[in-house]
Amino acid sequence: MKSIPPEERLILALDVPTKEDALNIVARLGGYVRFFKIGLQLFMASHFYMVDWLGDKGFNVFLDLKLYDIPNTVIQALSIISQHPVSLTTLHAERSILKAGVEATQGKPGILAVTVLTSMDPGDFEAEHGKSVEKAVIDRTKIAIETGCAGVIASGKEAPIIRRNCGKDFLIVTPGIRPKFSEEKDDQKRTVTAFDAIQNGADYIVVGRPILKAPDPKKVVKELVQEIEDAMKE
């Protein structure tokens, strides 16, 4: 397992509507979290303000925009993203897009290929695409490896098959994390605990609502980091 400290494996998703909300969260949790994700909602509200602010404060930034367009358009978007302090960013797993993106960025930021969204129900996915989620994830991960991506976005449920089929020197970033104590029902279908995600081979976990909606967010962060640490020891 890559030598990343437990506390740096937790990426907090700043899935909030305004930069003021995001700044308040970082003020409360910045002493416990070093890696933050900015998705479409916050990016539409703040553009690069929060990206640059987090970078200036020494935090790692995962810009999750899931770009999907013709290669030239993606290249132009990435040329702008690469001017900002972004460690990781996402593209959909189509060969021409990934190839163009990796060649344009040269690893800065690292490109993560989106395999299958964790909100997708396996039965619905197979009915629509004619293949299982597992088969799609492996096919798309192999494309990501062949095109030189830094890693993939994948559920913790598929992390083991990625490791078995695609090796260890490749990042797996796993959303859809729910703490052991969580009973929340939402739009995520293929969820796992932080412990299971790391045990299954994930390098990073992405967590939003279980932290942001908690009565005591710091407590949840500490418990998640402890889950990660426990998984790394086994």
Side-chain angles (χ1 to χ4, degrees):
M1 183 172 284
K2 300 174 184 65
S3 57
I4 307 167
E7 64 275 10
E8 294 183 14
R9 292 176 181 268
L10 172 62
I11 301 176
L12 175 54
L14 293 172
D15 293 335
V16 291
T18 70
K19 69 180 182 183
E20 288 75 21
D21 291 329
L23 290 168
N24 287 334
I25 291 166
V26 178
R28 294 177 66 188
L29 299 177
Y32 304 89
V33 179
R34 303 306 304 166
F35 212 146
F36 291 92
K37 188 201 85 163
I38 295 176
L40 281 170
Q41 181 185 27
L42 182 58
F43 189 76
M44 290 298 102
S46 68
H47 301 285
F48 282 101
Y49 178 90
M50 280 304 304
V51 173
D52 294 338
W53 187 89
L54 287 166
D56 288 344
K57 298 297 182 183
F59 295 107
N60 290 319
V61 179
F62 168 26
L63 183 59
D64 184 23
L65 302 182
K66 299 181 179 68
L67 299 177
Y68 186 78
D69 211 311
I70 63 172
N72 184 64
T73 299
V74 170
I75 288 171
Q76 298 309 315
L78 287 170
S79 71
I80 297 172
I81 290 172
S82 64
Q83 297 171 30
H84 297 269
V86 175
S87 299
L88 298 170
T89 195
T90 46
L91 308 183
H92 275 276
E94 184 171 300
R95 187 179 297 275
S96 62
I97 296 173
L98 296 179
K99 184 174 183 295
V102 170
E103 290 176 354
T105 58
Q106 296 293 303
K108 295 182 180 180
I111 301 294
L112 301 176
V114 179
T115 56
V116 176
L117 298 177
T118 50
S119 60
M120 291 295 297
D121 176 83
D124 292 343
F125 182 90
E126 187 162 357
E128 182 177 348
H129 296 275
K131 64 171 72 175
S132 68
V133 166
E134 290 80 5
K135 179 68 165 61
V137 167
I138 289 302
D139 290 347
R140 293 170 184 178
T141 298
K142 288 180 177 177
I143 293 171
I145 291 171
E146 291 164 4
T147 53
C149 290
V152 291
I153 302 290
S155 163
K157 291 184 179 296
E158 288 92 54
I161 60 173
I162 294 174
R163 287 292 177 226
R164 285 197 301 270
N165 288 272
C166 305
K168 297 181 179 180
D169 297 325
F170 194 66
L171 290 178
I172 300 176
V173 178
T174 296
I177 298 296
R178 293 296 175 262
K180 291 180 179 179
F181 57 83
S182 176
E183 297 180 355
E184 179 182 0
K185 303 297 182 184
D186 51 42
D187 57 351
Q188 295 286 12
K189 303 298 183 183
R190 303 189 329 280
T191 63
V192 297
T193 65
F195 180 93
D196 288 340
I198 298 298
Q199 278 270 289
N200 288 350
D203 297 292
Y204 296 95
I205 61 168
V206 182
V207 187
R209 284 171 286 190
I211 295 173
L212 301 182
K213 292 185 175 182
D216 187 347
K218 289 180 184 177
K219 181 173 181 288
V220 177
V221 167
K222 290 177 181 179
E223 290 174 347
L224 286 167
V225 171
Q226 186 62 56
E227 280 191 52
I228 294 170
E229 186 172 354
D230 291 344
M232 292 173 65
K233 290 176 180 176
E234 295 202 7

